Amino acid sequence: MTRTGISWHVIISRRWSGGLNEGMNRMIQLDLRFAREAFRESELELLEPAVAAADAALRRRQVAGADFLGWLDLASRTLAAGTQALEEAAEAIRSEADVLVVVGIGGSYLGARAAFEFLKPQYYNQLPRSLRGGPELYFAGNHLSARGFRDLLRTLEGKRVYLNVISKSGTTTEPALAFRVLRAWLEQTAGHEAARKQIYVTTDAARGALKHLADVEGYPSFVVPDDVGGRYSVLTPVGLLPLAAIGVDIGQLLQGAAEAEQSLTDPRLAANAAYRYAAVRNVLYRKGLTTELFAYYEPALAYVAEWWKQLFGESEGKDGKGIFPASAGYTTDLHSLGQFVQEGRRNLFETVLRLTEPPCDLAIPSAPQMDDGLEYLAGRPFNWVNDQARLATQMAHASGGVPNLLVELPDMSERSLGQLFYFFELACAMSGQLMGVNAFDQPGVEAYKTNMFALLGKPGYELQQAALRAQLESAVT
Ligand code: PA5
C-alpha cells in the first residue's frame, strides 16, 4: 500500500528469482477455434494419408534434402552425448568476459537472438552484472552498416571482449567482414596472444576459410553438424554456446526439444499439433491465403518471430510456391497494421502465439483523479488486460475474414522454448512436404550474392559484372 492507499504489486518472475518451473510438464497446444469458418474438418481428413506418407518419408530420411534431417533427433542425441565441452567453454567466457559479441547472420544468428530476447530481461545489457549473471551480449555480422560498427566499437571500448564467430560455410560476406573489423580491434586493444584466447569459432568440421583460420590461430572451435542446415541449427553449438555463456540453461532448452521430439511422433492429425498446424496452413494456402502473419503480444517474442520467418520463408518459398511469412507485435502493430489486417486484401491468416503463464504481472494502479476513463481497470492485472486484447483482436480479425490459429506456449522457460523450436521445425518440414518443395535447401539466396560479388569486383565475377553494368546503363537511358 502506498501513502495514497493505492494498492499495486509486481510479481517477480519465478525464473529470475530461481524458483521452480511449474509448467515443465505442459506441452504446446494448438487452438483452431478462430479459424473454424475457414476450413472443414473433412478437408483435414483428406490430408491424413499425405501427412502419414510424408511423416514416414521424413523418419526414413527419404525426402528431398534428406542429408539435412539431423535436427529431427538432435536434442535427444545431444543430451545423450552430453554438453560438457560446450559448458566449459561457456563458463570460461562467462567468468572472463565483460562482453560477448556473437558474429553471424541468418541461421547462424536468429536462433540465438530469439532465445536471448525470449529468456533474458528486456534491458539485459543495461542491468548490473550481478543481475545479468553473464557478460553483456551484442550481435554483429548481420548487416553491412558502417554506423552499426561505429556504434558497436564505441560500446566495446574499455571492456574485456570475447567473440563467437559463427558461420557454417565460413565464407558468408557479412560475418566475415564483421570478423575482420572486430578481430583487428581486439588484437589492437588486447594484443594478438590474448585475442587468440578470446575468439571462439563455430563452423564446419573440416571445410571453409574460418575453419582454416581457426586451425592456424588455435581458436577454440565448435562444429556445426553437416546434417543440420542453418535455420534448423539453434540447438547445435550455433545457439548453445552463446546462450550458455550468458547463463541460459541449455540442458533445459534441449530437454524441452527432446520432449517435443517424443510427443510429436504420432502422424495422426488429432494426435500431433505440429502436423495439424502444417495441415491447416496447407488447406488455407490452397484457398488463396498466401500470407501468414505471426502475431505475438509479448515484446520478448519479436526475435522468435524473426527466427520463424526465416524458418518458413527459406524452407517453403521456392518453385513459385510458398506462404509469405510476416509478423506483427501486438498491441503495438494494431496501431499501424491493424487496419490492413481487419479490412485489407483478404489473403491473410494469422498464427497467434500466446503465453499461458507470463513470467510476471503488474496490477493497474487506481488513479480516480486522472479522469482518463480507465478507473474501471484499477486493480486488474496487466496480463489479463493483454489477454483480453488478444482475445478481442482474434475475434475481430476472424470475423473480418482472417482465420486465426492460436499456438499456446506454457511459459517463458528454456524448456518451453526448446519445445517451441522443435514444434515449428517439425511443422515446417511437414509443410514443405505437403507443398511439394525441398524444405532444407535455399538455392534462391545465391542470386543476390552473385550480383553483389560482381558489383563489388570479386575476382572471377568479371563477366557477370560487365553484364550487370550494361544492364544498369540501359536501364538509365
Ligand atoms: O539458413 C541458411 O542456410 C542461411 O540463413 C545461413 O544460415 C546464412 O546465410 C549464414 O550462413 P553461414 O552460417 O554459412 O555463414
PDB file of all heavy atoms in Angstrom, residues 169-186:
ATOM      1  N   SER A 169      29.396 -22.094 -43.408  1.00  0.00           N
ATOM      2  CA  SER A 169      30.209 -22.139 -44.625  1.00  0.00           C
ATOM      3  C   SER A 169      31.594 -21.528 -44.374  1.00  0.00           C
ATOM      4  O   SER A 169      32.570 -21.888 -45.010  1.00  0.00           O
ATOM      5  CB  SER A 169      29.519 -21.354 -45.742  1.00  0.00           C
ATOM      6  OG  SER A 169      29.437 -19.983 -45.376  1.00  0.00           O
ATOM      7  N   GLY A 170      31.630 -20.595 -43.457  1.00  0.00           N
ATOM      8  CA  GLY A 170      32.894 -19.896 -43.191  1.00  0.00           C
ATOM      9  C   GLY A 170      33.225 -18.837 -44.216  1.00  0.00           C
ATOM     10  O   GLY A 170      34.300 -18.229 -44.166  1.00  0.00           O
ATOM     11  N   THR A 171      32.304 -18.604 -45.150  1.00  0.00           N
ATOM     12  CA  THR A 171      32.617 -17.661 -46.235  1.00  0.00           C
ATOM     13  C   THR A 171      31.548 -16.578 -46.406  1.00  0.00           C
ATOM     14  O   THR A 171      31.620 -15.813 -47.372  1.00  0.00           O
ATOM     15  CB  THR A 171      32.737 -18.425 -47.576  1.00  0.00           C
ATOM     16  OG1 THR A 171      31.520 -19.146 -47.775  1.00  0.00           O
ATOM     17  CG2 THR A 171      33.906 -19.374 -47.591  1.00  0.00           C
ATOM     18  N   THR A 172      30.573 -16.509 -45.530  1.00  0.00           N
ATOM     19  CA  THR A 172      29.479 -15.544 -45.719  1.00  0.00           C
ATOM     20  C   THR A 172      30.012 -14.117 -45.524  1.00  0.00           C
ATOM     21  O   THR A 172      30.713 -13.827 -44.552  1.00  0.00           O
ATOM     22  CB  THR A 172      28.338 -15.854 -44.732  1.00  0.00           C
ATOM     23  OG1 THR A 172      27.988 -17.230 -44.891  1.00  0.00           O
ATOM     24  CG2 THR A 172      27.115 -14.997 -45.000  1.00  0.00           C
ATOM     25  N   THR A 173      29.660 -13.248 -46.460  1.00  0.00           N
ATOM     26  CA  THR A 173      30.275 -11.919 -46.519  1.00  0.00           C
ATOM     27  C   THR A 173      30.085 -11.105 -45.231  1.00  0.00           C
ATOM     28  O   THR A 173      31.054 -10.560 -44.689  1.00  0.00           O
ATOM     29  CB  THR A 173      29.680 -11.129 -47.713  1.00  0.00           C
ATOM     30  OG1 THR A 173      29.803 -11.947 -48.871  1.00  0.00           O
ATOM     31  CG2 THR A 173      30.411  -9.821 -47.933  1.00  0.00           C
ATOM     32  N   GLU A 174      28.847 -10.988 -44.770  1.00  0.00           N
ATOM     33  CA  GLU A 174      28.584 -10.091 -43.635  1.00  0.00           C
ATOM     34  C   GLU A 174      29.354 -10.505 -42.376  1.00  0.00           C
ATOM     35  O   GLU A 174      30.072  -9.672 -41.798  1.00  0.00           O
ATOM     36  CB  GLU A 174      27.070 -10.018 -43.344  1.00  0.00           C
ATOM     37  CG  GLU A 174      26.257  -9.345 -44.437  1.00  0.00           C
ATOM     38  CD  GLU A 174      25.743 -10.335 -45.495  1.00  0.00           C
ATOM     39  OE1 GLU A 174      26.346 -11.425 -45.642  1.00  0.00           O
ATOM     40  OE2 GLU A 174      24.757 -10.011 -46.160  1.00  0.00           O
ATOM     41  N   PRO A 175      29.245 -11.753 -41.922  1.00  0.00           N
ATOM     42  CA  PRO A 175      30.023 -12.105 -40.724  1.00  0.00           C
ATOM     43  C   PRO A 175      31.530 -12.083 -40.968  1.00  0.00           C
ATOM     44  O   PRO A 175      32.298 -11.724 -40.064  1.00  0.00           O
ATOM     45  CB  PRO A 175      29.544 -13.526 -40.364  1.00  0.00           C
ATOM     46  CG  PRO A 175      28.806 -14.019 -41.543  1.00  0.00           C
ATOM     47  CD  PRO A 175      28.318 -12.835 -42.306  1.00  0.00           C
ATOM     48  N   ALA A 176      31.963 -12.428 -42.197  1.00  0.00           N
ATOM     49  CA  ALA A 176      33.406 -12.428 -42.474  1.00  0.00           C
ATOM     50  C   ALA A 176      33.959 -11.002 -42.378  1.00  0.00           C
ATOM     51  O   ALA A 176      35.037 -10.779 -41.816  1.00  0.00           O
ATOM     52  CB  ALA A 176      33.675 -13.035 -43.848  1.00  0.00           C
ATOM     53  N   LEU A 177      33.206 -10.030 -42.912  1.00  0.00           N
ATOM     54  CA  LEU A 177      33.674  -8.639 -42.823  1.00  0.00           C
ATOM     55  C   LEU A 177      33.626  -8.143 -41.376  1.00  0.00           C
ATOM     56  O   LEU A 177      34.531  -7.446 -40.910  1.00  0.00           O
ATOM     57  CB  LEU A 177      32.828  -7.732 -43.724  1.00  0.00           C
ATOM     58  CG  LEU A 177      33.047  -7.923 -45.239  1.00  0.00           C
ATOM     59  CD1 LEU A 177      32.138  -6.994 -46.029  1.00  0.00           C
ATOM     60  CD2 LEU A 177      34.504  -7.690 -45.630  1.00  0.00           C
ATOM     61  N   ALA A 178      32.565  -8.501 -40.666  1.00  0.00           N
ATOM     62  CA  ALA A 178      32.463  -8.081 -39.259  1.00  0.00           C
ATOM     63  C   ALA A 178      33.613  -8.678 -38.447  1.00  0.00           C
ATOM     64  O   ALA A 178      34.182  -8.019 -37.568  1.00  0.00           O
ATOM     65  CB  ALA A 178      31.118  -8.515 -38.682  1.00  0.00           C
ATOM     66  N   PHE A 179      33.954  -9.922 -38.750  1.00  0.00           N
ATOM     67  CA  PHE A 179      35.053 -10.567 -38.035  1.00  0.00           C
ATOM     68  C   PHE A 179      36.371  -9.845 -38.304  1.00  0.00           C
ATOM     69  O   PHE A 179      37.184  -9.660 -37.401  1.00  0.00           O
ATOM     70  CB  PHE A 179      35.125 -12.045 -38.431  1.00  0.00           C
ATOM     71  CG  PHE A 179      36.155 -12.833 -37.654  1.00  0.00           C
ATOM     72  CD1 PHE A 179      36.410 -12.570 -36.306  1.00  0.00           C
ATOM     73  CD2 PHE A 179      36.868 -13.849 -38.266  1.00  0.00           C
ATOM     74  CE1 PHE A 179      37.363 -13.293 -35.595  1.00  0.00           C
ATOM     75  CE2 PHE A 179      37.818 -14.579 -37.560  1.00  0.00           C
ATOM     76  CZ  PHE A 179      38.065 -14.289 -36.231  1.00  0.00           C
ATOM     77  N   ARG A 180      36.565  -9.413 -39.546  1.00  0.00           N
ATOM     78  CA  ARG A 180      37.771  -8.617 -39.852  1.00  0.00           C
ATOM     79  C   ARG A 180      37.858  -7.401 -38.942  1.00  0.00           C
ATOM     80  O   ARG A 180      38.889  -7.103 -38.347  1.00  0.00           O
ATOM     81  CB  ARG A 180      37.725  -8.103 -41.291  1.00  0.00           C
ATOM     82  CG  ARG A 180      38.158  -9.099 -42.298  1.00  0.00           C
ATOM     83  CD  ARG A 180      38.256  -8.437 -43.652  1.00  0.00           C
ATOM     84  NE  ARG A 180      38.876  -9.383 -44.556  1.00  0.00           N
ATOM     85  CZ  ARG A 180      39.848  -9.112 -45.392  1.00  0.00           C
ATOM     86  NH1 ARG A 180      40.309  -7.883 -45.496  1.00  0.00           N
ATOM     87  NH2 ARG A 180      40.367 -10.031 -46.153  1.00  0.00           N
ATOM     88  N   VAL A 181      36.739  -6.675 -38.877  1.00  0.00           N
ATOM     89  CA  VAL A 181      36.709  -5.432 -38.091  1.00  0.00           C
ATOM     90  C   VAL A 181      36.958  -5.740 -36.611  1.00  0.00           C
ATOM     91  O   VAL A 181      37.802  -5.115 -35.953  1.00  0.00           O
ATOM     92  CB  VAL A 181      35.329  -4.732 -38.256  1.00  0.00           C
ATOM     93  CG1 VAL A 181      35.193  -3.556 -37.298  1.00  0.00           C
ATOM     94  CG2 VAL A 181      35.130  -4.284 -39.694  1.00  0.00           C
ATOM     95  N   LEU A 182      36.248  -6.712 -36.086  1.00  0.00           N
ATOM     96  CA  LEU A 182      36.311  -6.980 -34.644  1.00  0.00           C
ATOM     97  C   LEU A 182      37.620  -7.643 -34.242  1.00  0.00           C
ATOM     98  O   LEU A 182      38.165  -7.377 -33.167  1.00  0.00           O
ATOM     99  CB  LEU A 182      35.111  -7.838 -34.224  1.00  0.00           C
ATOM    100  CG  LEU A 182      33.791  -7.067 -34.261  1.00  0.00           C
ATOM    101  CD1 LEU A 182      32.596  -8.014 -34.271  1.00  0.00           C
ATOM    102  CD2 LEU A 182      33.685  -6.112 -33.055  1.00  0.00           C
ATOM    103  N   ARG A 183      38.132  -8.494 -35.115  1.00  0.00           N
ATOM    104  CA  ARG A 183      39.416  -9.138 -34.803  1.00  0.00           C
ATOM    105  C   ARG A 183      40.535  -8.092 -34.778  1.00  0.00           C
ATOM    106  O   ARG A 183      41.376  -8.080 -33.873  1.00  0.00           O
ATOM    107  CB  ARG A 183      39.720 -10.225 -35.838  1.00  0.00           C
ATOM    108  CG  ARG A 183      40.939 -11.073 -35.473  1.00  0.00           C
ATOM    109  CD  ARG A 183      41.078 -12.221 -36.443  1.00  0.00           C
ATOM    110  NE  ARG A 183      41.938 -11.862 -37.552  1.00  0.00           N
ATOM    111  CZ  ARG A 183      43.037 -12.539 -37.901  1.00  0.00           C
ATOM    112  NH1 ARG A 183      43.389 -13.618 -37.231  1.00  0.00           N
ATOM    113  NH2 ARG A 183      43.756 -12.150 -38.920  1.00  0.00           N
ATOM    114  N   ALA A 184      40.510  -7.203 -35.765  1.00  0.00           N
ATOM    115  CA  ALA A 184      41.543  -6.149 -35.807  1.00  0.00           C
ATOM    116  C   ALA A 184      41.448  -5.296 -34.542  1.00  0.00           C
ATOM    117  O   ALA A 184      42.459  -4.981 -33.905  1.00  0.00           O
ATOM    118  CB  ALA A 184      41.360  -5.292 -37.052  1.00  0.00           C
ATOM    119  N   TRP A 185      40.226  -4.959 -34.156  1.00  0.00           N
ATOM    120  CA  TRP A 185      40.026  -4.129 -32.958  1.00  0.00           C
ATOM    121  C   TRP A 185      40.511  -4.865 -31.707  1.00  0.00           C
ATOM    122  O   TRP A 185      41.197  -4.292 -30.853  1.00  0.00           O
ATOM    123  CB  TRP A 185      38.532  -3.781 -32.831  1.00  0.00           C
ATOM    124  CG  TRP A 185      38.213  -2.986 -31.614  1.00  0.00           C
ATOM    125  CD1 TRP A 185      38.232  -1.627 -31.492  1.00  0.00           C
ATOM    126  CD2 TRP A 185      37.838  -3.494 -30.324  1.00  0.00           C
ATOM    127  NE1 TRP A 185      37.891  -1.256 -30.212  1.00  0.00           N
ATOM    128  CE2 TRP A 185      37.643  -2.380 -29.474  1.00  0.00           C
ATOM    129  CE3 TRP A 185      37.636  -4.778 -29.794  1.00  0.00           C
ATOM    130  CZ2 TRP A 185      37.267  -2.507 -28.136  1.00  0.00           C
ATOM    131  CZ3 TRP A 185      37.264  -4.914 -28.475  1.00  0.00           C
ATOM    132  CH2 TRP A 185      37.084  -3.795 -27.660  1.00  0.00           C
ATOM    133  N   LEU A 186      40.185  -6.144 -31.638  1.00  0.00           N
ATOM    134  CA  LEU A 186      40.549  -6.931 -30.447  1.00  0.00           C
ATOM    135  C   LEU A 186      42.070  -7.100 -30.357  1.00  0.00           C
ATOM    136  O   LEU A 186      42.662  -6.951 -29.275  1.00  0.00           O
ATOM    137  CB  LEU A 186      39.859  -8.297 -30.515  1.00  0.00           C
ATOM    138  CG  LEU A 186      39.857  -9.135 -29.242  1.00  0.00           C
ATOM    139  CD1 LEU A 186      39.183  -8.399 -28.095  1.00  0.00           C
ATOM    140  CD2 LEU A 186      39.143 -10.467 -29.493  1.00  0.00           C
TER     141      LEU A 186
END
